[in-house]
Amino acid sequence: MGLLTEGHPISWEETKKLSKHVRKHGIIQFINLYKKLRDREGDVLKWGDEVEYMLVKLNHEKKTAKLSLRSYELMLKLNEKEQADPSAVKCLWRPEFGAYMIEGTPGQPYGGLMAHFNIVEANMKHRRLEAEEQLKSEEILMTFTNFLRLGSPDSTEPPANPTPDTGYQRSLFLSDEAVFPGHPRFKTLATNIRQRRGEKVIIHVPIYKDENTPKPFREDLSALGDDGSSAKVAKDDHIYMDAMGFGMGCCCLQVTFQASNIREARTLYDQLTPLCPIMLALTAASPVYRGYLADIDSRWFVVSNSVDCRTRGERGLEPLKGEEFIIKTSRYGSVESYLSEQGDKYNDTKLLYDKEVYNQLIDNGIDHLLAQHVAHLFIRDCNLQSTNWRSMRFKPPPPNSSIGWRVEFRPCDVQMTDFENAAVVCFIVLLSRVILSYNLNLLIPISKVIENMSRGEKRDAVNKEKFWFRKDITSTGEKDNALEADQYGEFTVNEIINGKDGVFVGLIPLINSYLNNMNVDADTHCTIQRYLKLIRKRASGELMTTAAWIRKEVINHPEYKKDSVVNETMTYDIIKSAYEIQKGVRSCPELLGFCTTSKTTETIPAAIAIAEKCHLVN
Ligand code: ADP
Ligand code: MG
Ligand code: MG
Ligand code: MG
Ligand code: MG
């Protein structure tokens, strides 16, 4: 996505009128693309991460930390190198929803060499330094999922007041100034979602009930200019939020893989789906919203509710009008149907899809599973792939490009350090290789995956929750009773990741057995082992999740009054500590362990590349 290069966005009223047309053409486009590319074969493994960053301005005298609304300025600078020579850049920068956010990816995707696992972290470090060159004094770049006081008074630099009666979000808390100004897409999205829904979005996050938290916890919203509509929907004992920015303003970590063909892409999409809730729990990093400690640990459902554009009719609150139908979920949520043939029998949830679209796809030779996937995306107005956000994304090749069929893994909260983010990314990519090489089967009924997503956001889910998971993921033989309860059971994250004798094999033991058969150079081996160690210890509870660490910092802060409030000084202190941990000037063994330096390098030494050439990961 460019900065200002795209045309003038149209209003929701205009969009609505055009919606049928857009939909029809979207489907024809998909059909043509599918016909042209369904038999595309032999693409090699390529993969890459996306990291979202936030800009924070510290004031050491006043002890404040505020979101710096300068990402547009920064973006113009950061894109200069790419504009001059896109093939030579080490990283690419893209705008994100927040006026304080930027997204960075490697300049080129990584490939199939094992040694690529050793350059991910160095590239992330490079990215951070490149962006940091553009910062003003006292500004810092953070990989922090949710700014602790996003939407609290006086939390941006420059200061920006909310405008409950005008603008595109109409929030009582969050100013439109906090939405990225340099691209019309974001404002338009925010406006369209509110207008289509017919009212502001509603986000309820359970508050963490501490000794002195008011019982019930209830805020005076009229003091903020509420006309009564917010007070009507706000729930006791919940942190109430009312704007898209509260969700889309969170930072996450994503990974995209290229598959060798459409079949493999569909397999990867399905096999990684049951892993989404597990990784949500393991990477949980957002326990504070709008200056209050919450009783959840990750951003997922906040984002989901922040873009819930369903009308009252579609949400089942009013009689349906015209062509409306009841839609159970937001346009941001879990995968709701598997795509591979193997996955078909695990699709136990009735998928809502547009029958007309479905028939049109079937008539054009598209199979049932893919047709229902696409027709499901098209139940939403103005439906473009990029405004349907699921835990996994199936990415068809862009027209006229050399890029193949890809899948994207999307559930993870972003971590504070490059070391952790690289560990998460490498773990997922390695796992995708193990799944393909060993022909693993992780499938469970999709309804159970959806249920797991809710478990995954819970406070300390990694230690306290159990997740539905397949008992035997290694045997190739499929039983007839695939859907029956004896095929899957409830496991802790520790059991799933590390295994349990005689009960479950464990994902890391499988990765290690795969690595034993690979030709891995010593440095890469060492790096990978450090990453796996981090994942292992997070899963076992020996190390804290980022969310647990933030929670601990809040609760132990001298200014914390056991009332769930995260004030400005606490925000400053926690952000500053997080920054020092990220810079490596403060150790944090409870989060990272004692050994956090990897042997990461910016480029793969030629000798290693040659030695590995015959040992592609895939
Ligand atoms: P989006 O925002 O649509 O998810 P981005 O372009 O921001 O996608 O990021 C996609 C990621 O995919 C980047 O890390 C990029 O390096 C990587 N990537 C680029 N080309 C390929 C490819 N052919 N196969 C797999 N990954 C790719
Ligand atoms: Mg992106
Ligand atoms: Mg994106
Ligand atoms: Mg992004
Ligand atoms: Mg992405």
Side-chain angles (χ1 to χ4, degrees), residues 43 217 247 268 278 341 351 393 422 424 482 494 516 526 574 577:
D43 286 305
F217 170 77
L268 276 174
I278 313 305
E341 239 171 81
L351 193 70
R393 179 140 62 114
V424 170
N494 187 29
N516 284 340
C526 174
I574 294 169
S577 298

Side-chain angles (χ1 to χ4, degrees), residues 365-557:
I366 292 170
D367 59 278
H368 163 68
L369 289 170
L370 189 56
Q372 74 168 10
H373 169 81
V374 175
H376 173 67
L377 297 180
F378 276 92
I379 57 176
R380 321 236 179 223
D381 265 331
C382 169
N383 211 291
L384 306 162
Q385 161 92 341
S386 63
T387 51
N388 265 282
W389 300 280
R390 326 303 310 177
S391 45
M392 296 289 304
R393 179 140 62 114
F394 185 65
K395 292 178 165 175
N400 308 317
S401 80
S402 61
I403 300 174
W405 293 90
R406 293 151 304 151
V407 295
E408 183 183 21
F409 190 81
R410 303 166 46 81
C412 299
D413 273 5
V414 78
Q415 311 293 292
M416 298 192 295
T417 65
D418 297 323
F419 173 74
E420 294 162 280
N421 286 319
V424 170
V425 167
C426 291
F427 173 71
I428 296 159
V429 178
L430 274 169
L431 203 54
S432 76
R433 297 308 96 188
V434 176
I435 287 169
L436 293 177
S437 310
Y438 291 172
N439 208 2
L440 298 184
N441 180 8
L442 279 71
L443 302 180
I444 54 172
I446 196 74
S447 62
K448 295 287 183 237
V449 177
I450 295 169
E451 190 182 330
N452 279 350
M453 285 305 277
S454 302
R455 298 180 180 193
E457 75 156 354
K458 297 237 166 81
R459 172 160 54 87
D460 205 16
V462 95
N463 294 307
K464 297 212 180 103
E465 291 294 315
K466 287 198 169 191
F467 295 85
W468 297 108
F469 214 76
R470 191 177 181 85
K471 287 180 184 168
D472 179 5
I473 62 175
T474 53
S475 79
T476 45
E478 283 257 314
K479 297 184 183 144
D480 298 335
N481 58 343
L483 275 175
E484 281 179 22
D486 67 338
Q487 299 293 303
Y488 53 89
E490 288 177 290
F491 297 90
T492 62
V493 172
N494 187 29
E495 289 163 350
I496 294 167
I497 299 288
N498 292 316
K500 187 177 179 188
D501 269 348
V503 177
F504 185 73
V505 53
L507 300 176
I508 293 219
L510 282 172
I511 292 179
N512 275 326
S513 110
Y514 169 83
L515 289 170
N516 284 340
N517 296 318
M518 300 298 296
N519 179 21
V520 190
D521 69 274
D523 285 356
T524 303
H525 176 79
C526 174
T527 299
I528 292 176
Q529 286 309 321
R530 285 194 186 155
Y531 294 161
L532 294 182
K533 193 165 166 185
L534 179 82
I535 304 287
R536 251 181 16 231
K537 292 192 168 181
R538 287 266 165 97
S540 71
E542 197 177 324
L543 295 177
M544 288 179 147
T545 60
T546 311
W549 179 83
I550 296 172
R551 199 175 277 290
K552 171 192 74 126
E553 291 294 300
V554 168
I555 286 174
N556 293 339
H557 195 282

Side-chain angles (χ1 to χ4, degrees), residues 306-350:
S306 83
V307 291
D308 187 352
C309 62
R310 292 172 300 156
T311 62
R312 292 183 68 78
E314 286 169 346
R315 279 177 279 143
L317 301 174
E318 270 176 16
L320 296 168
K321 295 189 201 92
E323 293 175 11
E324 280 184 337
F325 35 87
I326 301 238
I327 302 180
K328 284 210 192 109
T329 52
S330 159
R331 63 198 306 142
Y332 183 110
S334 174
V335 165
E336 290 174 81
S337 72
Y338 293 115
L339 273 181
S340 69
E341 239 171 81
Q342 196 184 14
D344 196 12
K345 56 180 163 302
Y346 300 92
N347 282 332
D348 65 337
T349 297
K350 193 173 179 308

Side-chain angles (χ1 to χ4, degrees), residues 50 52 94-96 103 105 254 393 395 408:
E50 291 166 77
E52 291 171 354
R94 295 293 175 263
E96 256 304 332
E103 179 187 291
T105 64
Q254 300 168 340
R393 179 140 62 114
K395 292 178 165 175
E408 183 183 21

